[in-house]
Each structure stands twice: as structure tokens, then as C-alpha cells.
Amino acid sequence: MCGVIGVSKIPEAGRLAYLGLYALQHRGQESAGIVAVDREGQARVHRGMGLVSETFPEPVMKHLTGDVAVGHTRYSTAGSTVLANAQPCFANTRYGALSVAHNGNLTNAPELRRQLVDQGAIFTSSSDTECLVHLIARSSAPTMEGQIREALSQAEGAYSLVIGCGREIYAVVDPRGFRPLMLARLGDGVIVASETCAFDLMGATLIRELQPGEFVRIVEGQIEALAPLPRRPITRCVFELVYFSRPDSTIFGRSVDAVRREIGRHLAVEHPVPGAEVVFAVPDSSNAMALGFSEVSGIKLEYGLIRNHYVGRTFINPTQALRVAKVKIKFNPVREVIKGRSVVMVDDSLVRGTTSKGLVQMVRAAGAREVHLRLGSPPITGPCHYGIDTPTREELIGATHSVEEIREFLGVDSLGYLSLDGMLDAAGRGTGFCHACFSGQYPTPITEELVQLRHAAPLAATLV
Ligand code: AMP
């Protein structure tokens, strides 16, 4: 998963992109990059590993001059965790500096890459996004718009893209609309970003959300609508609302906070816990769910777990051993809230089960009499191929174990997963959703090669 940003005709665009990326940090903590373009069309790029605040020290920011910028914050889903895969991808082309910031995953990237390599293309990264750079640069269409369109006609899967070409910015969302992309205005300029929370920090005003298949060109602060991409069934990623996006954002036309509260309400109806004395969230993604659960059940909401905010998302650790240790670094129970009580703990999802298992042990050690776990989504039974970093099927506890087996493994008194229907109801029935990781219904073809290649690093030479 990733966060993308584009800034057109705003002084110090590089610094503004930095602010925007800061607000989008939750979408990717592995690497970040900004391309800034000055009045003469000269582009300057900086990309680095780590958090946004670590990647752009003042001496670097000083070079990112100009009033146009493209930025990216990365969380690896395709390609390995190396600097070469940091984005925006960039290249010097016949139209000037081309930079591509991609949120999503191309499901036909292995085939595209093979074809391009066979034709003599050279790759510097293992990310699927670099295929797009090649396809755009190789297109013989007479305009940049045409080149992008031709490249995208060959791409399958999920892409919300911010593409810089000289001083122009193109923003486009794949026809299924897996990932969000928003437009806003600031003074005479325009900003495009993955989530609205970025605009709040930048002081920009939301114009609207880009719809599935929508394609726009932003030149000197003016937005020009281009012909949309061919229509496909809309499959917005429901997990964006359940877990990924920030609750203070509005995406897919819905307040993320409102959806999560509704999920909590549905959970309380589907899986009540008679006799429980306190409900609390696994902070922060589930806070609103616990609130909704409390509202409907009448069980008092408390802060039973405290999260250390200086620790990244647990998944970002590469090894299982580290991940287990990090649960304790990240959370600590509040004994006074928990001791001697029957508690309901609400989390958004269960992936491998390691976080919850550690939490349950902590809560029991803090003196809980009973522990009831409620999850704001159904069992995850398959990996995501559209940009969320879920592990392989074998590692997904929901794919390999029954609910009763999982309950036993976690050591909880009861376990309740929200049903697929309940989750989709809460997310808003009017929107078409992708729920492949829960239902196994993948909206695009998924080849065995894609399944195998997800975390492979097929590069013979890498930057360090
Ligand atoms: P696990 O320990 O593998 O069961 O992880 C479950 C926890 O990870 C839950 O608290 C979720 O909020 C969180 N989570 C779910 N999906 C992801 C993801 N793709 N990346 C990072 N964290 C996630």
C-alpha cells in the first residue's frame, strides 16, 4: 500500500508535498520520495528509506525547489524493500522528466515485465510501477496523454497514479477504482492526494474524489478532464475503510470514521456479549468500531489498551520473530480498567493472529476475568493482489483454521467475526466493493506466477 501526492502551481511545492506525505505516512513507512519541478521544467528528485521525517532533512529540502511536485510514500507489496524500489519512479524521456507515483498493484506485471525485458528494456527496480514508465516512454502516441492511455490499456489491476511530465501532472484511477484519489484546491494551485487528511494538514479545500476510470491533466493549477478509461465493474477496496485509511479521511464518498462506527454497531448486533462489563479497542484503527459496539450494546467504553505511537505498524517487520516482540513494544494494558472484569476487545481484522494472541495474553495477565474478541471484518482467507500487504494463504490463520480453532489458539472465551454482509452493509451497499481477501472473489484474473512472485526480488543488481 502507498500514499501518493501531486502539487501543481503552488510555491514551495516540494515542502507542501512533504507535509502531505507526512499526513499519509500510515499508508507506507518503508520509503518516501519527492520530485520537485521548477519554472524551467528542471526536475529534482530525492528518495530514501524510512519515514518521511527521516528522509527529507533540510539540506535535501533546499534542493527540491519549484512549484510542481510529485510525492510517494511506500509500503512494499510488489518488489522488495530496497532503495531501488522507492518511488516516484523517474526517467528522462523525449518529453522531459517523467515521474510516476503509484498506489496499487498491477496484476499482470510479471507478463509485462517479461515482454519488456525480451524487447531490450532495462530495469533498475523490481517494482511493478517501473513497467508503466517503460510502457509510457515506448508508446508512439503523439501526446503524453495518449502515451499514458496506451500504457494503461496494457495494465491490469489496481492503480491510482500521479504522473508528472515536465510541469504537467496527470492523475488517473483504474476503471475498477480499487484505491482512493482526491483533488483539492489551495490558492491558485491544485493538489491531488490519496486521502483527504493530507489536505487538512496542507490547508487545502477538497474539490472532489476522482471516480473509477477518471483521468485528468493538471497544468499550471488548472484541471482538465480527459476521456475516462474504458468502464469496468467498480470494485473499491473495502479494506481501505476497515483498516487502511485514516478515520479523519473521507474516501469512496464515505467518512472512514462513520463506516467504522457502523461496523461496531453491526458487530454488537451480530455477536453480542451478555454480561461483559467493559469494551475497548485495539487502538487506533478500531477505536470507532469499539465506540459503535458500546453504543449499541450499552457496555461501557474504556481505554483498556494504550498504544505507543512511536512504533510503526507491526506488519512492516520482515521477520516473524521480530513481529511477536513488537506487539509488546506497541501495546500495554491499563490494569485498573481490566482487572477482574469480563472484557470485550475490538479489533478491525485478524491476519496471522500473532497480534491478537499477544494482546490476549497481556489482557489476561492484567487480570481480565473473561476476554471476548470481536473483529470488524470476516476471516481473511486469501492474499490481496491489489496493493494491501497480506501474507500468503498458508500464513493467514483464517484460511487454514476454523473459527473455533482460532478461538482456541488465541485463548479467548469467545470470538466473533463480522459477516461479509454486515461489513458491506456498514461500508455502504451502493458502492461496488472488492472483498477478494475475505470472499476469494478476485475481480481480475490472478495467475499462479503472480502468487509466487509477490515478494521476490528478481534484481541482479540493487542500490543500497
Ligand atoms: P496479525 O497479528 O497478523 O493477526 O495482525 C492483525 C493486526 O494487524 C490487526 O490489529 C490489524 O489492525 C493489523 N493489520 C491488518 N492488516 C494489515 C496490513 N495489511 N498491514 C499492517 N497491519 C495490518
Side-chain angles (χ1 to χ4, degrees):
M1 185 50 71
C2 302
V4 295
I5 200 139
V7 178
S8 170
K9 205 173 178 229
I10 303 180
E12 301 201 80
R15 286 180 194 271
L16 205 62
Y18 171 85
L19 269 186
L21 291 181
Y22 205 81
L24 297 176
Q25 183 74 82
H26 61 290
R27 298 186 67 86
Q29 302 170 359
E30 178 184 297
S31 64
I34 295 175
V35 176
V37 185
D38 69 16
R39 289 237 137 254
E40 283 69 50
Q42 175 68 47
R44 296 177 183 86
V45 187
H46 181 77
R47 302 183 305 195
M49 300 302 288
L51 299 176
V52 174
S53 58
E54 301 161 349
T55 311
F56 303 99
E58 188 50 34
V60 166
M61 289 310 298
K62 269 204 319 233
H63 294 291
L64 297 176
T65 53
D67 59 353
V68 172
V70 174
H72 189 271
T73 174
R74 179 168 193 264
Y75 179 92
S76 68
T77 49
S80 49
T81 310
V82 290
L83 183 57
N85 284 338
Q87 291 195 26
C89 276
F90 70 95
N92 290 285
T93 70
R94 61 182 180 276
Y95 291 112
L98 175 70
S99 50
V100 181
H102 177 197
N103 177 199
N105 236 15
L106 302 184
T107 46
N108 63 340
E111 295 100 280
L112 288 176
R113 194 181 179 99
R114 201 175 326 104
Q115 285 162 16
L116 286 161
V117 168
D118 286 349
Q119 290 159 14
I122 51 171
F123 277 82
T124 58
S125 78
S126 59
S127 92
D128 53 343
T129 312
E130 199 177 358
C131 294
L132 285 177
V133 176
H134 283 287
L135 292 175
I136 294 170
R138 281 163 178 248
S139 161
S140 54
T143 59
M144 181 44 65
E145 175 197 338
Q147 287 186 270
I148 295 172
R149 201 178 286 284
E150 195 179 320
L152 295 181
S153 71
Q154 298 164 72
E156 260 299 354
Y159 50 85
S160 279
L161 292 164
V162 178
I163 301 172
C165 176
R167 292 182 52 75
E168 295 182 344
I169 289 178
Y170 294 82
V172 58
V173 177
D174 68 75
R176 293 184 175 85
F178 286 99
R179 306 277 154 229
L181 199 57
M182 307 284 163
L183 275 174
R185 182 156 290 286
L186 179 63
D188 294 336
V190 167
I191 302 167
V192 53
S194 295
E195 286 181 42
T196 57
C197 64
F199 302 147
D200 298 335
L201 178 55
M202 297 160 101
T205 310
L206 177 69
I207 301 173
R208 64 189 172 81
E209 177 159 18
L210 286 177
Q211 294 306 307
E214 199 172 343
F215 188 13
V216 299
R217 175 169 40 222
I218 306 163
V219 192
E220 304 300 334
Q222 298 303 315
I223 305 165
E224 191 188 330
L226 305 173
L229 304 186
R231 286 173 84 96
R232 296 277 172 83
I234 293 173
T235 53
R236 302 289 211 176
C237 167
V238 71
F239 209 58
E240 285 275 354
L241 292 164
V242 169
Y243 168 76
F244 218 85
S245 295
R246 259 173 54 164
D248 50 337
S249 285
T250 298
I251 60 157
F252 306 156
R254 299 290 311 273
S255 143
V256 177
D257 173 79
V259 170
R260 291 191 190 161
R261 277 181 202 229
E262 197 53 27
I263 282 177
R265 292 186 193 112
H266 275 68
L267 253 182
V269 173
E270 283 191 18
H271 299 286
V273 189
E277 292 145 298
V278 55
V279 53
F280 58 82
V282 177
D284 292 318
S285 42
S286 316
N287 290 347
M289 295 181 189
L291 197 63
F293 193 99
S294 167
E295 245 175 67
V296 167
S297 64
I299 303 168
K300 196 171 175 211
L301 178 73
E302 297 261 16
Y303 298 113
L305 284 172
I306 299 301
R307 176 176 164 187
N308 181 328
H309 284 268
Y310 306 96
V311 187
R313 287 187 171 187
T314 46
F315 258 54
I316 288 166
N317 274 315
T319 65
Q320 185 74 5
L322 267 177
R323 199 174 294 116
V324 173
K326 254 205 171 177
V327 173
K328 273 197 171 162
I329 298 172
K330 197 167 161 184
F331 298 105
N332 203 31
V334 181
R335 273 165 216 285
E336 291 65 27
V337 169
I338 290 171
K339 199 163 183 259
R341 286 174 157 170
S342 168
V343 306
V344 182
M345 184 163 89
V346 181
D347 202 356
D348 56 88
S349 58
L350 199 68
V351 184
R352 294 178 174 87
T354 40
T355 310
S356 297
K357 193 175 169 74
L359 288 174
V360 171
Q361 283 166 358
M362 267 184 212
V363 169
R364 287 223 185 268
R369 201 176 76 247
E370 286 176 20
V371 183
H372 303 271
L373 180 63
R374 295 294 176 266
L375 298 162
S377 54
I380 301 181
T381 53
C384 176
H385 295 292
Y386 309 108
I388 300 238
D389 182 28
T390 35
T392 56
R393 227 187 144 269
E394 294 67 45
E395 292 173 84
L396 290 167
I397 193 164
T400 50
H401 294 77
S402 69
V403 174
E404 176 50 26
E405 285 167 346
I406 299 170
R407 188 199 63 73
E408 222 169 276
F409 167 78
L410 298 175
V412 286
D413 295 280
S414 76
L415 171 64
Y417 279 99
L418 186 62
S419 65
L420 184 62
D421 260 6
M423 178 183 68
L424 295 176
D425 242 21
R429 282 280 176 193
T431 312
F433 281 113
C434 173
H435 40 74
C437 56
F438 303 112
S439 64
Q441 295 164 23
Y442 289 90
T444 67
I446 302 297
T447 62
E448 187 49 34
E449 189 182 13
L450 185 72
V451 176
Q452 300 302 331
L453 271 176
R454 276 186 79 241
H455 291 283
L459 286 182
T462 57
L463 266 179
V464 289

Coordinates of all heavy atoms in Angstrom, one line a residue, residues 4-8 37 68-71 88 93 95-103 132 136 141-150 152 159-174 181-183 190-193 210 213-227 229:
V4 N 0.1 8.6 -2.3 CA 0.6 9.4 -3.4 C 0.2 10.9 -3.3 O -0.9 11.1 -2.7 CB 0.2 8.9 -4.8 CG1 0.9 7.5 -5.0 CG2 -1.3 8.8 -4.9
I5 N 0.9 11.8 -3.9 CA 0.6 13.2 -3.9 C 1.1 13.9 -5.1 O 2.1 13.5 -5.7 CB 1.1 13.8 -2.5 CG1 0.4 15.1 -2.2 CG2 2.6 14.0 -2.6 CD1 0.1 15.2 -0.7
G6 N 0.3 14.9 -5.5 CA 0.8 15.8 -6.6 C 0.4 17.2 -6.3 O -0.6 17.5 -5.7
V7 N 1.3 18.1 -6.6 CA 1.1 19.5 -6.4 C 1.3 20.3 -7.6 O 2.4 20.1 -8.3 CB 2.0 20.0 -5.2 CG1 1.8 21.5 -5.0 CG2 1.9 19.2 -4.0
S8 N 0.4 21.2 -8.0 CA 0.6 22.0 -9.2 C 0.4 23.5 -8.9 O -0.6 23.9 -8.3 CB -0.5 21.6 -10.3 OG -0.4 22.5 -11.4
V37 N 9.6 20.2 -9.4 CA 9.9 20.7 -10.8 C 9.8 22.2 -10.7 O 8.8 22.8 -10.3 CB 8.9 20.1 -11.8 CG1 9.3 20.6 -13.2 CG2 8.8 18.6 -11.7
V68 N 5.9 22.7 -8.7 CA 5.2 21.5 -9.1 C 5.9 20.3 -8.4 O 7.2 20.4 -8.3 CB 5.3 21.3 -10.6 CG1 4.8 19.9 -11.0 CG2 4.5 22.4 -11.3
A69 N 5.2 19.4 -7.8 CA 5.8 18.3 -7.2 C 5.0 17.0 -7.2 O 3.7 17.1 -7.3 CB 6.1 18.6 -5.7
V70 N 5.7 15.9 -7.2 CA 5.0 14.6 -7.1 C 5.7 13.8 -5.9 O 6.9 13.8 -5.8 CB 5.2 13.8 -8.4 CG1 4.6 12.3 -8.3 CG2 4.5 14.5 -9.6
G71 N 4.9 13.2 -5.1 CA 5.5 12.5 -3.9 C 4.8 11.2 -3.7 O 3.7 10.8 -4.2
P88 N 8.7 8.4 -6.2 CA 8.3 8.2 -7.5 C 9.4 7.5 -8.4 O 10.6 7.8 -8.2 CB 8.0 9.6 -8.0 CG 7.8 10.4 -6.8 CD 8.6 9.8 -5.7
T93 N 12.8 11.5 -20.5 CA 12.2 11.0 -21.7 C 12.2 12.1 -22.8 O 12.6 13.2 -22.5 CB 10.7 10.6 -21.5 OG1 10.0 11.8 -21.3 CG2 10.6 9.6 -20.3
Y95 N 9.9 13.8 -23.7 CA 9.0 14.9 -23.2 C 9.6 15.6 -22.0 O 8.9 16.4 -21.4 CB 7.6 14.4 -22.9 CG 6.9 14.0 -24.2 CD1 6.6 12.7 -24.4 CD2 6.5 15.0 -25.1 CE1 5.9 12.3 -25.6 CE2 5.9 14.6 -26.3 CZ 5.6 13.3 -26.5 OH 4.9 12.9 -27.6
G96 N 10.7 15.2 -21.5 CA 11.3 15.8 -20.3 C 11.2 14.8 -19.2 O 11.1 13.6 -19.4
A97 N 11.3 15.3 -17.9 CA 11.3 14.5 -16.8 C 9.9 13.8 -16.6 O 8.9 14.5 -16.5 CB 11.7 15.3 -15.6
L98 N 10.0 12.5 -16.5 CA 8.7 11.7 -16.2 C 8.8 11.1 -14.8 O 9.9 10.5 -14.5 CB 8.6 10.6 -17.3 CG 7.4 9.6 -17.1 CD1 6.1 10.3 -17.4 CD2 7.6 8.4 -18.1
S99 N 7.8 11.3 -14.0 CA 7.9 10.6 -12.7 C 6.5 10.0 -12.5 O 5.5 10.5 -12.8 CB 8.2 11.6 -11.6 OG 7.4 12.8 -11.7
V100 N 6.5 8.8 -11.9 CA 5.3 8.0 -11.6 C 5.2 7.6 -10.2 O 6.1 7.0 -9.6 CB 5.3 6.8 -12.5 CG1 4.0 6.0 -12.3 CG2 5.4 7.1 -14.0
A101 N 4.1 8.1 -9.5 CA 3.8 7.6 -8.1 C 2.6 6.8 -8.2 O 1.6 7.2 -8.7 CB 3.6 8.9 -7.2
H102 N 2.7 5.6 -7.7 CA 1.7 4.5 -7.9 C 1.2 4.0 -6.6 O 2.0 3.6 -5.7 CB 2.3 3.4 -8.7 CG 1.5 2.2 -9.0 ND1 2.0 1.0 -9.4 CD2 0.1 2.0 -8.9 CE1 1.0 0.1 -9.5 NE2 -0.1 0.7 -9.2
N103 N -0.1 4.0 -6.4 CA -0.7 3.3 -5.3 C -1.6 2.2 -5.9 O -2.5 2.4 -6.6 CB -1.6 4.3 -4.5 CG -2.4 3.6 -3.3 OD1 -3.3 4.1 -2.8 ND2 -1.9 2.5 -2.9
L132 N 5.3 0.6 -16.0 CA 4.5 1.7 -16.6 C 5.4 2.8 -17.2 O 5.1 3.3 -18.2 CB 3.6 2.3 -15.5 CG 2.4 1.5 -15.0 CD1 1.7 2.3 -13.9 CD2 1.4 1.3 -16.2
I136 N 5.0 3.8 -21.0 CA 4.7 5.2 -21.4 C 5.8 5.7 -22.3 O 5.5 6.3 -23.4 CB 4.6 6.1 -20.1 CG1 3.4 5.7 -19.2 CG2 4.5 7.6 -20.5 CD1 3.4 6.4 -17.9
A141 N 2.3 7.0 -29.3 CA 1.2 8.0 -29.4 C 1.8 9.4 -29.5 O 2.8 9.7 -28.9 CB 0.3 7.8 -28.2
P142 N 1.1 10.3 -30.1 CA 1.7 11.7 -30.4 C 1.6 12.6 -29.2 O 2.3 13.7 -29.2 CB 0.8 12.2 -31.5 CG -0.5 11.5 -31.4 CD -0.2 10.1 -30.9
T143 N 0.9 12.3 -28.1 CA 0.9 13.2 -26.9 C 1.2 12.4 -25.7 O 1.0 11.1 -25.7 CB -0.5 13.8 -26.8 OG1 -1.5 12.7 -26.6 CG2 -1.0 14.6 -27.9
M144 N 1.5 13.1 -24.6 CA 1.7 12.4 -23.3 C 0.5 11.7 -22.9 O 0.5 10.6 -22.4 CB 2.3 13.4 -22.3 CG 2.6 12.8 -20.9 SD 3.4 11.2 -20.8 CE 5.0 11.6 -21.5
E145 N -0.7 12.4 -23.0 CA -1.9 11.8 -22.7 C -2.1 10.4 -23.4 O -2.5 9.4 -22.8 CB -3.1 12.7 -23.0 CG -4.4 12.1 -22.7 CD -5.6 12.8 -23.4 OE1 -5.5 14.0 -23.8 OE2 -6.7 12.1 -23.6
G146 N -1.9 10.5 -24.7 CA -2.0 9.3 -25.5 C -1.0 8.2 -25.0 O -1.4 7.0 -25.0
Q147 N 0.2 8.6 -24.7 CA 1.2 7.6 -24.3 C 0.7 6.9 -23.0 O 0.9 5.7 -22.8 CB 2.5 8.3 -24.1 CG 3.2 8.6 -25.4 CD 4.6 9.1 -25.2 OE1 4.8 10.3 -25.1 NE2 5.5 8.3 -25.2
I148 N 0.2 7.7 -22.0 CA -0.2 7.2 -20.7 C -1.4 6.2 -21.0 O -1.5 5.1 -20.5 CB -0.6 8.3 -19.8 CG1 0.6 9.1 -19.4 CG2 -1.3 7.7 -18.5 CD1 0.3 10.4 -18.5
R149 N -2.3 6.7 -21.9 CA -3.5 5.9 -22.2 C -3.1 4.6 -22.8 O -3.7 3.5 -22.4 CB -4.4 6.7 -23.1 CG -5.8 6.3 -23.1 CD -6.6 7.2 -24.1 NE -6.9 8.5 -23.6 CZ -7.8 8.8 -22.6 NH1 -8.5 7.8 -22.1 NH2 -8.0 10.0 -22.3
E150 N -2.2 4.6 -23.7 CA -1.7 3.4 -24.3 C -1.1 2.4 -23.3 O -1.3 1.2 -23.3 CB -0.8 3.7 -25.5 CG -0.6 2.5 -26.4 CD 0.4 2.8 -27.5 OE1 0.3 3.9 -28.1 OE2 1.2 1.9 -27.8
L152 N -1.7 2.4 -20.1 CA -2.7 1.8 -19.2 C -3.6 0.8 -19.8 O -4.1 -0.1 -19.1 CB -3.5 3.0 -18.6 CG -2.7 4.0 -17.7 CD1 -3.6 5.1 -17.2 CD2 -2.0 3.2 -16.5
Y159 N -4.5 0.7 -9.8 CA -3.6 1.8 -9.9 C -4.3 3.1 -9.7 O -5.3 3.5 -10.3 CB -2.8 1.9 -11.2 CG -3.6 1.7 -12.5 CD1 -4.2 2.8 -13.1 CD2 -3.8 0.5 -13.1 CE1 -5.0 2.7 -14.2 CE2 -4.6 0.3 -14.2 CZ -5.2 1.4 -14.8 OH -5.9 1.3 -15.9
S160 N -3.9 3.9 -8.7 CA -4.2 5.3 -8.5 C -2.9 6.0 -8.7 O -2.0 5.8 -7.9 CB -4.8 5.6 -7.1 OG -6.2 5.2 -7.1
L161 N -2.8 6.7 -9.8 CA -1.5 7.2 -10.2 C -1.4 8.7 -10.2 O -2.4 9.4 -10.7 CB -1.2 6.7 -11.7 CG -1.0 5.2 -11.9 CD1 -1.1 4.9 -13.4 CD2 0.4 4.8 -11.4
V162 N -0.2 9.2 -9.8 CA 0.1 10.6 -10.1 C 1.3 10.6 -10.9 O 2.4 10.1 -10.5 CB 0.3 11.4 -8.7 CG1 0.7 12.8 -9.0 CG2 -0.9 11.3 -7.9
I163 N 1.2 11.1 -12.1 CA 2.3 11.1 -13.1 C 2.7 12.5 -13.4 O 1.9 13.3 -13.8 CB 1.8 10.4 -14.4 CG1 1.4 8.9 -14.1 CG2 3.0 10.4 -15.4 CD1 0.7 8.2 -15.2
G164 N 4.0 12.8 -13.2 CA 4.5 14.1 -13.5 C 5.2 14.0 -14.9 O 6.0 13.1 -15.1
C165 N 4.9 15.0 -15.8 CA 5.7 15.0 -17.0 C 6.1 16.5 -17.2 O 5.2 17.3 -17.5 CB 4.8 14.5 -18.1 SG 5.7 14.7 -19.7
G166 N 7.3 16.9 -17.0 CA 7.7 18.3 -17.0 C 6.9 19.0 -16.0 O 6.8 18.5 -14.8
R167 N 6.2 20.0 -16.4 CA 5.3 20.8 -15.4 C 3.9 20.3 -15.3 O 3.1 20.8 -14.6 CB 5.4 22.3 -15.7 CG 6.8 22.9 -15.4 CD 6.8 24.3 -15.7 NE 5.8 25.1 -15.0 CZ 5.9 25.4 -13.7 NH1 6.9 25.0 -12.9 NH2 4.9 26.1 -13.1
E168 N 3.6 19.3 -16.1 CA 2.2 18.8 -16.1 C 2.1 17.6 -15.1 O 3.0 16.9 -14.9 CB 1.9 18.2 -17.5 CG 1.8 19.3 -18.6 CD 1.4 18.7 -19.9 OE1 1.5 17.4 -20.1 OE2 1.1 19.5 -20.8
I169 N 0.9 17.5 -14.6 CA 0.6 16.4 -13.7 C -0.6 15.6 -14.3 O -1.7 16.3 -14.6 CB 0.4 16.8 -12.3 CG1 1.7 17.2 -11.6 CG2 -0.2 15.7 -11.4 CD1 1.6 17.7 -10.2
Y170 N -0.6 14.3 -14.4 CA -1.7 13.5 -14.8 C -2.1 12.7 -13.6 O -1.3 12.2 -12.9 CB -1.3 12.6 -15.9 CG -1.0 13.3 -17.2 CD1 0.2 13.9 -17.4 CD2 -2.0 13.5 -18.2 CE1 0.5 14.6 -18.6 CE2 -1.7 14.2 -19.4 CZ -0.5 14.7 -19.6 OH -0.2 15.4 -20.7
A171 N -3.4 12.7 -13.3 CA -3.9 11.8 -12.2 C -4.9 10.9 -12.8 O -5.8 11.3 -13.6 CB -4.5 12.7 -11.1
V172 N -4.8 9.6 -12.5 CA -5.8 8.6 -13.0 C -6.0 7.5 -12.1 O -5.1 7.1 -11.3 CB -5.2 8.1 -14.4 CG1 -3.8 7.5 -14.3 CG2 -6.1 7.2 -15.1
V173 N -7.2 7.0 -12.1 CA -7.7 5.9 -11.2 C -8.1 4.7 -12.1 O -8.8 5.0 -13.1 CB -8.8 6.3 -10.3 CG1 -9.3 5.1 -9.5 CG2 -8.4 7.5 -9.4
D174 N -7.7 3.5 -11.8 CA -8.0 2.4 -12.7 C -9.6 2.3 -12.8 O -10.3 2.7 -11.9 CB -7.4 1.1 -12.1 CG -8.0 0.7 -10.8 OD1 -9.1 0.2 -10.8 OD2 -7.4 0.9 -9.8
L181 N -8.3 8.4 -4.6 CA -7.5 9.6 -5.1 C -8.4 10.8 -5.1 O -9.5 10.8 -5.6 CB -6.9 9.3 -6.5 CG -5.7 10.1 -6.9 CD1 -4.6 10.0 -6.0 CD2 -5.3 9.7 -8.3
M182 N -7.9 11.9 -4.4 CA -8.7 13.1 -4.2 C -8.1 14.3 -4.8 O -6.9 14.4 -4.8 CB -8.8 13.3 -2.6 CG -9.2 12.1 -1.9 SD -10.9 11.9 -2.0 CE -11.1 10.2 -1.5
L183 N -8.9 15.2 -5.1 CA -8.5 16.5 -5.7 C -8.8 17.7 -4.8 O -9.9 17.7 -4.2 CB -9.3 16.8 -7.0 CG -8.8 16.2 -8.3 CD1 -9.8 16.5 -9.4 CD2 -7.4 16.7 -8.7
V190 N -3.4 23.4 -7.4 CA -4.2 22.1 -7.3 C -3.4 21.1 -6.6 O -2.2 21.0 -6.9 CB -4.8 21.7 -8.6 CG1 -5.3 20.3 -8.6 CG2 -5.8 22.6 -9.2
I191 N -4.0 20.3 -5.8 CA -3.3 19.1 -5.1 C -4.1 17.9 -5.4 O -5.4 17.9 -5.4 CB -3.2 19.4 -3.6 CG1 -2.5 20.7 -3.3 CG2 -2.5 18.2 -2.9 CD1 -2.6 21.2 -1.9
V192 N -3.4 16.8 -5.6 CA -4.1 15.5 -5.7 C -3.4 14.6 -4.6 O -2.2 14.7 -4.4 CB -4.0 15.0 -7.1 CG1 -2.6 14.9 -7.7 CG2 -4.6 13.6 -7.3
A193 N -4.2 13.9 -3.9 CA -3.6 13.0 -2.8 C -4.5 11.8 -2.5 O -5.7 11.8 -2.8 CB -3.5 13.9 -1.5
L210 N -11.7 11.6 -7.3 CA -11.6 11.1 -8.7 C -12.4 9.7 -8.7 O -12.2 8.8 -7.9 CB -10.2 10.8 -9.2 CG -9.4 12.1 -9.5 CD1 -7.9 11.7 -9.8 CD2 -10.0 12.9 -10.6
G213 N -11.8 5.1 -13.2 CA -11.6 5.3 -14.6 C -11.4 6.8 -14.9 O -11.1 7.1 -16.1
E214 N -11.4 7.6 -14.0 CA -11.3 9.1 -14.3 C -9.8 9.4 -14.5 O -8.9 8.9 -13.9 CB -11.9 9.9 -13.1 CG -12.2 11.3 -13.6 CD -12.9 12.2 -12.6 OE1 -13.5 11.6 -11.6 OE2 -12.9 13.4 -12.8
F215 N -9.6 10.3 -15.5 CA -8.3 10.7 -15.9 C -8.3 12.2 -16.1 O -9.1 12.7 -16.8 CB -8.1 10.0 -17.3 CG -6.7 10.0 -17.9 CD1 -5.6 10.4 -17.2 CD2 -6.5 9.6 -19.2 CE1 -4.3 10.5 -17.8 CE2 -5.2 9.6 -19.8 CZ -4.2 10.0 -19.1
V216 N -7.4 12.9 -15.4 CA -7.3 14.3 -15.5 C -5.9 14.8 -15.8 O -4.9 14.1 -15.4 CB -7.9 15.1 -14.3 CG1 -9.3 14.8 -14.0 CG2 -7.0 14.8 -13.0
R217 N -5.8 16.0 -16.4 CA -4.4 16.6 -16.5 C -4.5 17.9 -15.7 O -5.5 18.7 -15.8 CB -4.2 16.9 -18.0 CG -2.9 17.7 -18.2 CD -2.4 17.8 -19.6 NE -3.5 18.0 -20.6 CZ -3.7 17.4 -21.7 NH1 -2.8 16.6 -22.1 NH2 -4.7 17.7 -22.5
I218 N -3.5 18.2 -15.0 CA -3.4 19.4 -14.2 C -2.2 20.2 -14.7 O -1.1 19.7 -14.6 CB -3.3 19.0 -12.7 CG1 -4.4 18.1 -12.2 CG2 -3.3 20.3 -11.8 CD1 -4.1 17.4 -10.9
V219 N -2.5 21.3 -15.2 CA -1.4 22.2 -15.8 C -1.6 23.6 -15.2 O -2.6 24.2 -15.3 CB -1.5 22.3 -17.3 CG1 -0.2 22.9 -17.9 CG2 -1.8 21.0 -18.0
E220 N -0.5 24.0 -14.6 CA -0.5 25.4 -14.0 C -1.7 25.7 -13.2 O -2.4 26.7 -13.3 CB -0.3 26.5 -15.1 CG 0.9 26.3 -16.0 CD 2.2 26.3 -15.3 OE1 2.3 26.9 -14.2 OE2 3.2 25.7 -15.8
G221 N -2.1 24.7 -12.3 CA -3.2 24.9 -11.4 C -4.6 24.7 -12.0 O -5.6 25.0 -11.4
Q222 N -4.7 24.3 -13.3 CA -6.0 24.1 -13.9 C -6.2 22.6 -14.2 O -5.3 21.9 -14.6 CB -6.0 24.8 -15.3 CG -5.8 26.3 -15.3 CD -6.9 27.0 -14.4 OE1 -8.1 26.7 -14.5 NE2 -6.4 27.9 -13.5
I223 N -7.4 22.2 -13.8 CA -7.7 20.7 -14.0 C -8.5 20.6 -15.3 O -9.5 21.2 -15.5 CB -8.6 20.2 -12.9 CG1 -8.0 20.5 -11.5 CG2 -8.9 18.7 -13.0 CD1 -8.9 20.4 -10.3
E224 N -8.0 19.7 -16.1 CA -8.6 19.4 -17.4 C -9.1 18.0 -17.4 O -8.3 17.1 -17.2 CB -7.6 19.7 -18.5 CG -8.1 19.7 -19.9 CD -6.9 19.8 -20.9 OE1 -5.8 20.3 -20.5 OE2 -7.1 19.2 -22.0
A225 N -10.4 17.7 -17.7 CA -10.9 16.4 -17.7 C -10.5 15.7 -19.0 O -10.7 16.3 -20.1 CB -12.4 16.4 -17.6
L226 N -10.0 14.5 -19.0 CA -9.6 13.8 -20.2 C -10.7 12.6 -20.3 O -11.4 12.3 -19.4 CB -8.2 13.2 -20.1 CG -7.1 14.3 -19.8 CD1 -5.8 13.6 -19.5 CD2 -7.0 15.3 -20.9
A227 N -10.7 12.1 -21.5 CA -11.7 11.0 -21.7 C -11.4 9.9 -20.7 O -10.3 9.5 -20.5 CB -11.6 10.4 -23.1
L229 N -11.2 6.2 -18.8 CA -10.7 4.8 -19.3 C -12.0 4.0 -19.5 O -13.0 4.3 -18.9 CB -9.8 4.2 -18.2 CG -8.6 5.0 -17.8 CD1 -7.7 4.2 -16.8 CD2 -7.8 5.5 -19.0

